[in-house]
Amino acid sequence: MGREHWKKIWVGSAGNMVEWFDWFVYASFATYFAGAFFPEGNDTAKLMNTAGIFAVGFFMRPVGGWLLGRVGDRKGRKAALTLTVTLMSASAILIAVAPTYSVAGYGGAAVLLIARLLQGLSVGGEYAASATYLTEASAPGQRGFASSFQYVSMTAGQILGLGIQIILQRTMSADALHSWGWRIPFIVGALGAAVVFYLRRNMLETDVYEESGAGTPAGERGTIRALLAHKREAFLVIALTMGGTVAYYTYTTYLTKYLSNSAGLPKQTATLVSFCALIIFACLQPFAGRLSDRVGRRPLLITFALGSTFLTVPIMTMLKHAGSFWPALGLSLLALVVITGYTSINACVKAELFPTGVRALGVALPYAIANALFGGTAEYVALWFKDAGRESGFYWYVAGCAAVSLIVYLSMRETRDIDLARVPSTSPAPTPDLSKPQVPAA
């Protein structure tokens, strides 16, 4: 892979890392600021309130997917990526300065809600823009390897967030963390976004996009009309995302809370388990991505779905009774190894389904819909089952979502060898002018 390809991958990944740092920091620090905005009720009720706002951010992702996917297809991947990080920076600043319940009543929760809506818009476009950019920027025959850095950077953002949390837990008192220390990572996120904004302003556009004069007409680029010509591919993105996104958010954003609230591990131990597991998980992504370039995408997706369908219930059950650091780490790693079959290649699989003129929107909108329905609600569903006294029901829910995706993986076509510049475009035919006589073809 040449130097120019690496530069594009680096810039795309660095921005993605900051985006997802801000996104995941909300989830990882929720146990500390939940009481600041929702003082009434027990600990689970407070977490359900903050998880509800977390889920609301996901429901803005389809809007962000449509808006920024359209920008990415019409103005370029660079323009979309620059806009996403601007929105994310604004949301991080809002959370950092949001007033608590004691200062402004539920006005602070309203600021929190607005910030999450902005984050939803940003991440809704970020995923597709970065997935499309990394896939198009890769060298021939290395799309799986290159696009795997999307989840490397996403996970790196969460690792950075957890690292800051570990440092704060060991240098600040619990009272200070609950009072004001939780604001620190959001300030860090805002500063990081400013740096990435500069990097993205100077990034290179992909050759595939710049050379895509043919295919989807200019007026149809990034439009719902053009996307509807690829309905099958759009529904395929939703279905193949369903199991993967539920599993991913279960074993990443929700894992620390689960180990703390359900398994009874101290918060510091639960955070350290997640931190160590995610470092190894991030390192696995490029290896799995390169493997997919050799054997294809479907074998890895099928392996993930089989593992998640049949192993989720026993893994989650044993995690609840892990009791200490090492058993919890081992079980968490087993789960993350299984979902690597999805995370390492899902970006390129989706990008490989669509022609250049509708690729960003084609990935963004269906993926955002799937995340709004399944990924963003995973934590809330888990807490709902726990609050109802039937926590094991969530384990079966995760396994069921994976089973649905398994059916899709078994029936979908292989996309490894598709030429991105020659993915067929089936743009709608122009509407005939009925005011003129229609002459039948000879």
Side-chain angles (χ1 to χ4, degrees):
M1 186 174 289
R3 181 178 178 181
E4 183 175 309
H5 286 112
W6 277 114
K7 182 178 179 180
K8 290 178 179 178
I9 290 172
W10 156 244
V11 176
S13 297
N16 204 31
M17 179 182 71
V18 174
E19 288 267 4
W20 289 90
F21 168 83
D22 288 337
W23 182 259
F24 283 122
V25 152
Y26 180 98
S28 61
F29 276 84
T31 55
Y32 291 102
F33 66 73
F37 297 101
F38 304 101
E40 303 297 330
N42 58 34
D43 288 343
T44 299
K46 294 175 184 177
L47 283 176
M48 286 182 71
N49 284 328
T50 53
I53 292 182
F54 182 78
V56 166
F58 276 85
F59 284 98
M60 286 301 291
R61 287 175 70 163
V63 180
W66 165 74
L67 177 64
L68 296 166
R70 180 180 175 88
V71 171
D73 285 327
R74 298 179 76 88
K75 303 296 183 181
R77 318 311 187 200
K78 174 182 173 180
L81 287 168
T82 303
L83 182 55
T84 61
V85 79
T86 303
L87 292 172
M88 186 60 77
S89 178
S91 65
I93 292 172
L94 280 176
I95 297 176
V97 302
T100 62
Y101 182 86
S102 61
V103 174
Y106 285 109
V111 173
L112 198 65
L113 177 61
I114 293 171
R116 288 299 295 176
L117 293 177
L118 287 177
Q119 284 190 334
L121 282 173
S122 175
V123 178
E126 171 66 23
Y127 173 87
S130 62
T132 301
Y133 187 86
L134 289 171
T135 302
E136 291 181 348
S138 63
Q142 297 186 23
R143 291 199 300 258
F145 174 73
S147 65
S148 70
F149 283 89
Q150 182 182 47
Y151 270 79
V152 172
S153 58
M154 286 172 60
T155 308
Q158 189 174 5
I159 290 170
L160 180 59
L162 287 171
I164 290 177
Q165 187 173 16
I166 290 172
I167 292 172
L168 294 179
Q169 286 172 340
R170 282 159 173 73
T171 58
M172 298 180 68
S173 66
D175 288 341
L177 265 175
H178 284 86
S179 176
W180 60 272
W182 59 266
R183 298 181 187 272
I184 294 174
F186 295 103
I187 296 172
V188 172
L191 294 174
V195 174
V196 173
F197 176 82
Y198 171 78
L199 292 174
R200 287 188 166 178
R201 289 279 294 178
N202 295 280
M203 72 193 300
L204 301 172
E205 187 57 83
T206 68
D207 294 336
V208 173
Y209 181 82
E210 290 186 332
E211 297 169 2
S212 62
T216 308
E220 296 288 343
R221 285 177 174 270
T223 63
I224 296 295
R225 176 182 171 87
L227 180 59
L228 289 176
H230 300 275
K231 291 189 290 291
R232 181 182 182 280
E233 288 78 8
F235 282 115
L236 185 60
V237 170
I238 293 174
L240 69 87
T241 300
M242 178 181 177
T245 191
V246 170
Y248 179 73
Y249 282 100
T250 296
Y251 293 118
T252 55
T253 58
Y254 180 61
L255 179 64
T256 304
K257 298 183 186 67
Y258 180 73
L259 292 175
S260 177
N261 288 346
S262 297
L265 295 180
K267 286 182 180 178
Q268 292 88 341
T269 303
T271 303
L272 187 60
V273 168
S274 294
F275 181 78
C276 295
L278 287 172
I279 288 177
I280 298 173
F281 174 69
C283 293
L284 290 175
Q285 304 308 300
F287 293 100
R290 189 175 292 280
L291 179 63
S292 78
D293 288 327
R294 294 178 177 272
V295 304
R297 320 298 188 210
R298 291 180 68 249
L300 272 72
L301 291 171
I302 292 170
T303 300
F304 148 71
L306 284 171
S308 289
T309 299
F310 295 105
L311 294 179
T312 294
V313 174
I315 287 176
M316 294 293 286
T317 301
M318 289 187 288
L319 267 175
K320 188 172 183 178
H321 301 93
S324 61
F325 174 81
W326 288 109
L329 178 61
L331 290 166
S332 300
L333 280 176
L334 175 59
L336 290 171
V337 168
V338 169
I339 68 172
T340 293
Y342 167 81
T343 55
S344 60
I345 58 171
N346 80 96
C348 66
V349 170
K350 294 163 188 171
E352 288 165 345
L353 293 173
F354 298 93
T356 304
V358 74
R359 184 168 292 133
L361 180 63
V363 175
L365 187 55
Y367 172 81
I369 290 172
N371 265 272
L373 294 175
F374 304 105
T377 58
E379 182 177 328
Y380 194 86
V381 171
L383 291 170
W384 182 85
F385 273 111
K386 178 178 175 59
D387 196 51
R390 299 181 178 181
E391 192 166 28
S392 62
F394 177 67
Y395 315 160
W396 290 100
Y397 169 76
V398 177
C401 290
V404 172
S405 289
L406 174 60
I407 297 172
V408 176
Y409 302 152
L410 290 170
S411 60
M412 69 181 289
R413 73 180 189 273
E414 180 58 61
T415 62
R416 177 188 59 178
D417 298 321
I418 287 176
D419 185 344
L420 292 180
R422 290 180 171 82
V423 178
S425 176
T426 53
S427 299
T431 304
D433 186 350
L434 299 180
S435 65
K436 299 179 181 179
Q438 304 298 303
V439 180

